[in-house]
Amino acid sequence: MTDMERRGRATEAFFGRRKGKALREQQAETLNSLLPAFLIDLSAAPPEPLTSLFPVPVERLRLEIGFGGGEHLIHRALDTPSTGFIGVEPFVNSMQKLLSRIGETGASNIRVYNDDATQLLDWLPDGSLDQIDLLYPDPWPKRKHWKRRFVSKTNLDRFHRVLKPGGLFCFASDIDTYVNWTLIKCRDHGGFDWIANNAADWLTPYEGWPSTRYEAKARREGRSSAYLTFRKI
Ligand SMILES: C[S@@+](CC[C@H](N)C(=O)[O-])C[C@H]1O[C@@H](n2cnc3c(N)ncnc32)[C@H](O)[C@@H]1O
């Protein structure tokens, strides 16, 4: 697929807002100065090996789709410097926030993409990622909008193609219909095993979990969360 074709269908899986409050001058400056250095250029072929996207040596590659405030991404990146993190987020204000945190912390194991994650997924080579995190994706709670949910047969095919054998897909949500939806879609897909060792597993946050802004909001509103882990067969 050419870059034009990839960008030509920009809204395949993104139905949200791209802009919020106007950025203050200094925020816009951060965005404009840092984004070019960290942005993955999909018009170029993926480098070989893909780990050379990063200026530091990394052993594992992990993708976070829709990083929102970026608190989880930054936390994991600082915690695991030997992993290269790719963060995707089309919402400009969130991208600005993450880049500003990258500037403050000096994290050098992060690269970003600022549009629909399906475009990045289609660019990635087969079997290139160790893990994909989809944390609190837009829930689309109304039945008539369920088809907008990021978890779909097509996107699970994408995950399956880009994950290494045994690679992980982690999904967290506070919306029970979305949790059920994801369990059923992954079961029907057939290319993933749900890893749950005991009944409490799916209610137990991931190891080292720092939480996210969206999760905090769900808690305040009285909703608990499920944390699912699937392994590529
Ligand atoms: C409900 S928010 C959750 C944000 C964050 N993960 C958290 O837990 O606080 C979902 C995020 O996914 C992003 N998003 C929605 N569709 C996307 C897509 N197709 N590709 C990449 N990001 C997407 C939205 O812009 C939004 O920031």
Side-chain angles (χ1 to χ4, degrees), residues 55-230:
V56 288
V58 294
E59 292 154 13
R60 299 179 80 246
L61 290 175
R62 188 163 163 178
L63 166 67
E64 183 170 332
I65 296 175
F67 58 72
E71 50 287 304
H72 178 266
L73 181 54
I74 275 283
H75 174 87
R76 296 291 187 193
L78 295 175
D79 207 41
T80 332
S82 58
T83 295
F85 289 81
I86 300 175
V88 186
E89 179 52 70
F91 191 58
V92 173
N93 304 62
S94 295
M95 182 61 80
Q96 185 282 326
K97 202 178 245 182
L98 178 80
L99 289 170
S100 141
R101 289 288 291 137
I102 291 177
E104 285 160 16
T105 59
S108 48
N109 54 335
I110 300 181
R111 287 292 175 266
V112 297
Y113 184 61
N114 59 350
D115 209 323
D116 185 347
T118 63
Q119 299 169 348
L120 179 97
L121 285 162
D122 289 346
W123 175 85
L124 287 168
D126 292 359
S128 52
L129 299 182
D130 293 276
Q131 185 165 333
I132 298 174
D133 295 306
L134 184 61
L135 308 173
Y136 295 92
D138 287 335
W140 300 112
K142 290 188 186 146
R143 187 179 285 266
K144 67 176 180 190
H145 290 143
W146 284 3
K147 55 181 177 298
R148 294 182 177 183
R149 287 176 167 172
F150 198 86
V151 176
S152 64
K153 159 89 172 83
T154 313
N155 284 338
L156 288 177
D157 284 343
R158 288 182 162 114
F159 288 0
H160 198 265
R161 183 184 70 76
V162 301
L163 280 171
K164 294 179 184 170
L168 302 179
F169 161 40
C170 294
F171 171 94
S173 178
D174 58 314
I175 304 297
D176 52 3
T177 62
Y178 203 173
V179 173
N180 291 340
W181 164 281
T182 299
L183 284 167
I184 291 167
K185 294 275 177 207
C186 285
R187 183 200 63 195
D188 292 351
H189 183 276
F192 297 92
D193 270 338
W194 177 29
I195 309 173
N197 295 321
N198 60 60
D201 255 18
W202 61 295
L203 300 174
T204 309
Y206 305 113
E207 210 183 314
W209 176 246
S211 193
T212 72
R213 211 156 42 122
Y214 198 85
E215 179 172 79
K217 180 169 176 278
R219 288 262 162 83
R220 283 197 303 276
E221 294 171 3
R223 291 187 302 280
S224 55
S225 303
Y227 308 87
L228 308 180
T229 303
F230 301 92

